[in-house]
Amino acid sequence: MKEIKTVALVGLGAIGAYFADRLQPVLGDDLRVIAGGARAERIRREGLVINGKQEYYHVVEPGEGEPADLVIFATKMSGLQQAIKDVRAQIGPETLILSPLNGVESEEVVAKTYGWENIVYSLMRISSVKVGNTVSFDPNAAFYVEYGEKKNDPANLSERVLRLKALFDGAGIRYQIRPDMLLAIWEKFACNVSENQVAAVLDLPYGAWGSCEDAEALRIMVAAEVIEIAQKKGIPIENYARDHLDVIKAVPPRNKPSTLQDILAGRKTEVDIFAGAVIRLGKEYGVPTPYNEFLYHAIRVLEAKNAGTVEGV
């Protein structure tokens, strides 16, 4: 089995910082952070402060280098198309590809350019806060990667899954290899659509879920629209309200979901791949989506307020 010795990482936000923090100690300069222009210069000059520790990385410009054993896309969906172009020199016939982005479509987007042959399904379970050049997360919390083929037999894992397992074990990256990765991705999608968006509109931290009856009711009602669409697609999400509350309880209660972080920082949110995608898929599968329609417009109003385009505000 071929060992993964070189990794190209594009994106140093919450997800990218977690991978960089774990992979650099074992890979050194064989961890390549792909960035160009002013962003590359800023990373070289300032590095990244992760949990109070200053880190610097081997930055490789787009178009430079040779194929890596593994490419990890860790941007937001809004930056994925540019990232796909930027890593072209890093992808060869045997390069494994992970895109643990929010939403349910990142693998499909990457496959349009690089095909499905080397893509391994993945998602990230992490609560991380990024402010400027500083990223913080609890290194002892139960954060982990969920990854695998579309279907996985624990007794007969594919070589690709085993190669990634060896890398993650060596780097101290927690992971789960889920039997059904489409189910895993849609469960995470339900989480982002419900918790992230409700928190963004109401300015709620993770601690609201399970401690506030009304917040919990909103989480469940919004998630129900995602679950109905998933079930019509043949993806059997069950017991979401109870099971995912156990996941939330592992997150520090004062942490804020990423969509709320975006609003507070004046950034554009991922509402188009959350509520926007639910509305679109709801029309396709005949599922009413009134809660997501409300959240979509509410979050767009918050973005407009940040942009200064709401008169009188």
Side-chain angles (χ1 to χ4, degrees):
M1 184 174 67
K2 183 180 178 183
E3 182 182 357
I4 296 175
K5 296 181 178 180
T6 55
V7 176
L9 173 67
V10 55
L12 275 179
I15 294 174
Y18 177 84
F19 279 109
D21 183 60
R22 296 296 194 270
L23 291 173
Q24 175 144 296
V26 297
L27 296 178
D29 282 353
D30 286 327
L31 172 65
R32 312 164 186 168
V33 173
I34 310 303
R39 183 168 176 272
E41 290 305 314
R42 185 172 64 253
I43 295 172
R44 290 190 183 101
R45 181 178 65 251
E46 300 177 5
L48 199 64
V49 179
I50 302 178
N51 290 337
K53 184 179 179 181
Q54 180 74 54
E55 300 286 357
Y56 294 93
Y57 301 100
H58 177 206
V59 179
V60 175
E61 299 273 347
E64 295 181 356
E66 57 187 13
D69 296 323
L70 170 66
V71 165
I72 302 174
F73 290 101
T75 63
K76 288 194 172 185
M77 275 293 289
S78 59
L80 183 57
Q81 290 291 355
Q82 184 60 50
I84 287 170
K85 297 175 184 176
D86 289 347
V87 301
R88 187 173 295 276
Q90 304 294 321
I91 294 182
E94 298 183 357
T95 303
L96 297 182
I97 301 173
L98 294 177
S99 61
L101 280 62
N102 287 331
V104 289
E105 299 171 316
S106 70
E107 281 87 3
E108 293 180 9
V109 173
V110 175
K112 288 179 181 178
T113 299
Y114 295 115
W116 284 101
E117 293 79 8
N118 295 333
I119 293 176
V120 179
Y121 288 91
S122 62
L123 62 91
M124 191 70 203
R125 295 283 190 178
I126 186 170
S127 175
S128 177
V129 177
K130 187 173 190 292
V131 179
N133 192 44
T134 300
V135 178
S136 59
F137 53 84
D138 182 352
N140 298 314
F143 302 141
Y144 54 91
V145 185
E146 295 185 21
Y147 81 98
E149 309 290 356
K150 185 181 288 189
K151 299 285 187 179
N152 298 279
D153 177 359
N156 187 29
L157 296 173
S158 73
E159 181 179 347
R160 304 189 314 173
V161 170
L162 290 173
R163 289 176 66 197
L164 287 164
K165 181 178 184 299
L167 174 69
F168 292 162
D169 284 340
I173 294 174
R174 297 185 181 97
Y175 58 85
Q176 289 187 11
I177 302 169
R178 293 285 297 272
D180 186 335
M181 275 306 300
L182 288 184
L183 173 60
I185 287 170
W186 273 80
E187 286 176 342
K188 172 71 181 298
F189 185 51
C191 153
N192 283 330
V193 167
S194 58
E195 292 138 31
N196 262 17
Q197 296 190 128
V198 173
V201 171
L202 297 181
D203 193 4
L204 295 175
Y206 277 101
W209 317 122
S211 68
C212 175
E213 183 178 338
D214 294 304
E216 186 68 4
L218 289 170
R219 175 179 84 88
I220 293 169
M221 288 189 292
V222 175
E225 295 179 353
V226 177
I227 292 167
E228 186 174 353
I229 294 169
Q231 290 173 343
K232 289 207 170 187
K233 288 173 64 66
I235 300 169
I237 300 179
E238 298 176 354
N239 301 320
Y240 176 84
R242 182 195 67 208
D243 293 349
H244 201 258
L245 185 57
D246 292 337
V247 176
I248 300 169
K249 286 180 178 178
V251 177
R254 293 188 179 184
N255 279 22
K256 294 178 172 62
S258 61
T259 305
L260 176 56
Q261 290 185 47
D262 289 339
I263 291 296
L264 295 175
R267 297 187 294 257
K268 294 284 288 183
T269 73
E270 294 183 296
V271 68
D272 287 329
I273 68 164
F274 293 162
V278 173
I279 294 166
R280 173 170 49 81
L281 290 167
K283 291 176 180 177
E284 181 178 346
Y285 287 92
V287 175
T289 58
Y291 296 116
N292 274 279
E293 288 173 27
F294 169 79
L295 288 169
Y296 177 84
H297 292 293
I299 292 171
R300 291 297 299 271
V301 169
L302 294 175
E303 291 181 336
K305 287 175 66 178
N306 280 337
T309 58
V310 178
E311 189 171 343
V313 175

